[in-house]
Amino acid sequence: MAKEEQHIEGNDVVSDLINFLNSSPTAFHAVDEAKKLLKESGFVQVSESDNWNLEAGKRYFFTRNYSTIVAFAIGKKYVPGNGFCIVGAHTDSPCLKLKPISKVTKGGYLEVGVQTYGGGLWHTWFDRDLTVAGRVIIREGKDAFSHKLVRIEEPIMRIPNLAIHLDRGVNDGFKVNTHSHLIPILATAIKAELNKAVSENGPVESGADEKKSNERTKTDNSRHQSLLLQLLATRLGCEPDDICDFELQACDTQPSTVAGAMKEFIFSGRLDNLCMSFCSLKAMIDATASESTLEEETGVRMVALFDHEEIGSNSAQGAGSPVMFDALSQITNSFTSDSKLLQIAIRRSFLVSADMAHALHPNYMDKHDENHQPKLHGGLVIKHNANQRYATNAVTSFIFREIAAKHNLPVQDFVVRNDMPCGSTIGPILASGVGIRTVDVGAPQLSMHSIREMSAVDDVKHSYEHFRAYFQEFSCLDAKITVDI
């Protein structure tokens, strides 16, 4: 019976992940979805601009820039100086972001100028049905403005490949010119003009509406295609002139799905790193679902989902900013005025840096070290690097592995080949910046940084169960480990 219940719960986690992915085309939307999940579970939102009045046994969260979110649950037995058990992940993924002046017209086409964000596999963006999503600043009145998320559901853009007849050597090695090749086509100029003429000859506004329109302070929207602005305005329920500014990106319209002949895979964009973001968030929500789950907790359980990891984390809302330290400080200072206790708390804390890992590719097996070949379905991967591109060490690896052993969960190890460069994560940034013990882990996946990535259903379940066990077990396990005497 217990196994049957675990199987049903695991399927729910996968289904919930698919819904989360399909609702999160951008980091802004991912934070919005996370916020909804937290509020539905009883977490209380606090603002970084206010003084916090926190209580032991309660759960809270805050956002920064609406692209980073930090949630935490304070144990009933928490006292200042006790540690934090944290999972950190990131909300951003490589993509094409619209330029400040995105209007491009050439060859009879209306195009949308974009800039590359992060290290994407840019050739995978060709011949995809694309749309736009992000956030918009809207004028609500003469002196009022609002911040709204937007997403156009239907495909409105495409980056077409050049026919092989016009480039016979393309299969010998196509190199994407990210400046000239990656410009999505929105429409033909002639169709756009016909549509504009029809719109201009439409119903005339009433006198009151015309006066209101004339009084409105208009925004200079010559920077973007008027057709794109009209599509956005229709979606937002405003006038194009009310759109003051935006942060938009191109998005694939193909939905995430469970796939494969055995329904064992997940095909989706943004698995790196929304998969780890969701699994850690859901694990903490479920590990703190009732007051009884925090009765014996002496520390603080936390999930921090950062923006801008894909470009180095150096921003006001990235892991390189004081977000993490500020959160630890605010929480500790809510219970004490002794500043020394924050440093003690940091020494007693632990961070799981969760970022997707490289699974062994059957067609490129030589790209992995012979003894470190993570497999799909094999569980979370502990990442190691002697040069500290990952922050894992023997102690932090042992703690994470010990929790897995207690709950009969599989774990794997990854070390990059000596003749290949090693990527990095938020782990070393937070380990060095905050001084917190850290282990780098991630679920194995294929096609990392492609517009469509691939992971395994079982690893979603393993990740969720491992993170949940970590939140439940860390405080007791850590008390049994002595290193610096």
Side-chain angles (χ1 to χ4, degrees):
M1 184 66 179
K3 284 187 177 180
E4 184 179 338
E5 288 178 358
Q6 189 177 25
H7 177 70
I8 293 171
E9 184 181 65
N11 288 339
D12 286 344
V13 172
V14 174
S15 177
D16 289 346
L17 170 63
I18 295 297
N19 292 334
F20 183 80
L21 289 165
N22 285 327
S23 300
S24 305
T26 73
F28 305 118
H29 288 82
V31 165
D32 194 57
E33 288 301 307
K35 180 178 173 180
K36 290 175 186 175
L37 292 173
L38 290 165
K39 282 196 166 185
E40 288 170 2
S41 302
F43 282 70
V44 176
Q45 184 169 7
V46 292
S47 171
E48 287 190 284
S49 302
D50 300 332
N51 290 321
W52 293 355
N53 184 21
L54 309 178
E55 298 178 39
K58 302 296 184 181
R59 301 172 298 164
Y60 306 90
F61 75 92
F62 68 87
T63 66
R64 182 179 286 193
N65 190 52
Y66 218 78
S67 58
T68 287
I69 187 165
V70 178
F72 55 94
I74 306 171
K76 274 284 185 90
K77 294 185 177 181
Y78 169 77
V79 294
N82 285 0
F84 295 73
C85 58
I86 309 165
V87 179
H90 65 90
T91 57
D92 62 320
S93 301
C95 65
L96 300 176
K97 297 203 173 192
L98 271 64
K99 291 180 177 178
I101 302 174
S102 69
K103 188 174 184 178
V104 177
T105 304
K106 59 184 180 182
Y109 291 96
L110 304 186
E111 296 184 298
V112 179
V114 295
Q115 52 184 330
T116 56
Y117 175 87
L121 288 174
W122 302 122
H123 68 274
T124 65
W125 285 74
F126 287 81
D127 295 333
R128 303 294 303 184
D129 299 338
L130 304 176
T131 187
V132 294
R135 69 170 171 186
V136 181
I137 306 300
I138 297 175
R139 179 180 289 105
E140 297 281 13
K142 190 174 181 181
D143 296 310
F145 304 89
S146 65
H147 165 279
K148 291 186 178 180
L149 303 190
V150 67
R151 177 186 191 178
I152 298 175
E153 301 287 344
E154 62 270 17
I156 61 170
M157 306 187 303
R158 191 177 178 90
I159 305 172
N161 261 304
L162 182 65
I164 192 170
H165 313 78
L166 303 177
D167 185 6
R168 291 292 182 178
V170 65
N171 288 326
D172 296 328
F174 172 54
K175 182 174 175 57
V176 179
N177 183 313
T178 54
H179 182 71
S180 58
H181 294 156
L182 287 177
I183 310 176
I185 292 175
L186 180 68
T188 56
I190 189 168
K191 282 288 185 181
E193 282 299 315
L194 288 172
N195 179 69
K196 183 179 178 182
V198 170
S199 299
E200 288 175 349
N201 293 326
V204 178
E205 294 178 338
S206 67
D209 287 342
E210 187 174 340
K211 183 179 179 182
K212 181 180 178 182
S213 177
N214 290 335
E215 289 177 348
R216 182 189 294 123
T217 303
K218 291 191 175 183
T219 303
D220 178 15
N221 283 326
S222 61
R223 299 179 300 162
H224 308 287
Q225 299 288 3
S226 58
L227 178 58
L228 175 61
L229 293 172
Q230 184 59 61
L231 290 170
L232 291 168
T234 300
R235 182 66 181 165
L236 290 162
C238 69
E239 294 296 323
D241 284 335
D242 292 328
I243 297 175
C244 301
D245 210 340
F246 56 60
E247 287 179 71
L248 299 177
Q249 65 190 59
C251 309
D252 191 11
T253 57
Q254 185 175 357
S256 306
T257 186
V258 174
M262 301 300 297
K263 297 296 181 184
E264 61 183 304
F265 303 128
I266 295 174
F267 298 163
S268 172
R270 306 173 305 286
L271 286 171
D272 174 22
N273 193 37
L274 292 187
C275 180
M276 293 292 91
S277 293
F278 175 79
C279 289
S280 59
L281 186 70
K282 181 169 177 57
M284 194 191 70
I285 289 173
D286 291 350
T288 60
S290 64
E291 288 193 11
S292 61
T293 57
L294 292 172
E295 284 287 344
E296 299 301 317
E297 178 60 71
T298 59
V300 178
R301 301 173 183 176
M302 177 182 286
V303 166
L305 309 180
F306 298 95
D307 194 5
H308 294 153
E309 187 276 342
E310 295 293 355
I311 55 171
S313 297
N314 292 319
S315 69
Q317 52 274 6
S321 76
V323 174
M324 175 68 77
F325 185 82
D326 288 350
L328 304 184
S329 178
Q330 282 266 53
I331 295 167
T332 303
N333 292 341
S334 294
F335 293 88
T336 182
S337 58
D338 187 349
S339 60
K340 295 179 182 178
L341 291 176
L342 174 60
Q343 297 304 320
I344 294 173
I346 290 173
R347 300 296 172 264
R348 294 173 175 173
S349 298
F350 193 92
L351 169 70
V352 175
S353 167
D355 203 348
M356 298 295 278
H358 298 295
L360 179 69
H361 196 306
N363 302 339
Y364 303 89
M365 292 183 65
D366 61 328
K367 296 298 183 181
H368 275 72
D369 178 84
E370 294 83 352
N371 293 327
H372 301 90
Q373 299 183 337
K375 309 287 200 306
L376 295 182
H377 307 303
L380 281 170
V381 180
I382 300 177
K383 305 176 184 180
H384 308 260
N385 184 260
N387 298 304
Q388 288 297 288
R389 296 291 289 171
Y390 302 128
T392 306
N393 61 34
V395 176
T396 60
S397 174
F398 164 76
I399 289 173
F400 202 69
R401 206 184 301 274
E402 188 69 9
I403 290 169
K406 184 173 180 180
H407 291 264
N408 198 30
L409 292 167
V411 289
Q412 310 181 76
D413 292 280
F414 174 76
V415 174
V416 75
R417 288 174 56 109
N418 286 336
D419 55 0
M420 293 176 63
C422 183
S424 192
T425 67
I426 63 172
I429 295 170
L430 291 169
S432 60
V434 180
I436 188 170
R437 293 173 294 166
T438 302
V439 62
D440 267 296
V441 307
Q445 74 160 96
L446 296 170
S447 303
M448 188 178 288
H449 288 194
S450 170
I451 196 170
R452 293 288 287 183
E453 300 174 325
M454 177 177 173
S455 63
V457 165
D458 287 349
D459 290 318
V460 173
K461 302 173 188 176
H462 295 324
S463 299
Y464 162 76
E465 291 166 7
H466 205 147
F467 292 147
R468 183 173 178 177
Y470 161 68
F471 284 123
Q472 294 168 333
E473 302 282 351
F474 172 75
S475 292
C476 291
L477 176 60
D478 191 49
K480 301 174 184 177
I481 300 170
T482 302
V483 178
D484 296 306
I485 302 175

